[in-house]
Every structure is written in C-alpha cells, then in structure tokens.
C-alpha cells in the first residue's frame, strides 16, 4: 500500500514541478543554471527522489512513506506559493 501511495504522490510531485517550471515566475529567471536549462536536471532529481522513496518503502520499511508524504506537502506548499505569486 505504501508503494502505491508514494507512486501516486510522485505523479503529483511531477505535475507540480512541471507547473512551476512552466509558470514563468521571475524567481525562475534568476535561479541557477540547471533550472534555466528547462528544468531537465531538476526533473531528474525529482525522479531520483521518487525512486529512492519507492525503494525505501519496498526494502527497508513502509514507514518511509511518511517522509515522502512530508516532502510532498512541502513541495505542494512551495508550488502554491510560486503559482499564486505570493512569493
């Protein structure tokens, strides 16, 4: 069950990440070079985090899902701040 939860949250994280990259927010124009490349590197990092979360809940402990839930909540908060132009 934890595997499915992390997988679904990972899809949401990718969607949020893509929305932020496509938003044209001024902070993205002033950010580091790897974001300016279209976000390919940051999307790869997002994939590595998802893969690590899936491997941890599969082979270590299902409790690692709570860590990924926390990461997703922080990610959603950051995306909301950027997309709503509050930041």
């Amino acid at each position: 069950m934890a595997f499915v939860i992390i997988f679904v949250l990972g899809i949401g994280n990718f969607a949020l990440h893509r929305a932020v990259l496509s938003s044209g927010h001024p902070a993205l124009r002033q950010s580091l070079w790897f974001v300016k490349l279209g976000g390919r590197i940051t999307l790869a990092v997002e994939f590595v985090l998802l893969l690590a979360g899936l491997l941890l809940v599969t082979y270590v402990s299902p409790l690692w899902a709570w860590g990924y839930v926390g990461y997703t909540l922080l990610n959603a908060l950051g995306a909301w701040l950027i997309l709503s132009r509050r930041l």
Side-chain angles (χ1 to χ4, degrees), residues 1-10 48-72:
M1 185 66 180
F3 187 89
V4 173
I5 291 170
I6 287 184
F7 185 76
V8 171
L9 290 176
V48 168
L49 289 170
L50 173 60
L51 182 62
L54 291 172
L55 290 172
L56 284 169
V57 297
T58 302
Y59 294 112
V60 179
S61 171
L63 294 176
W64 279 99
W66 288 108
Y68 199 80
V69 167
Y71 165 71
T72 301

Side-chain angles (χ1 to χ4, degrees), residues 17-18 21 33-45:
H17 197 116
R18 195 48 159 158
L21 289 174
W33 60 270
F34 52 83
V35 176
K36 291 181 182 178
L37 291 175
R40 289 189 199 121
I41 294 173
T42 58
L43 286 171
V45 170

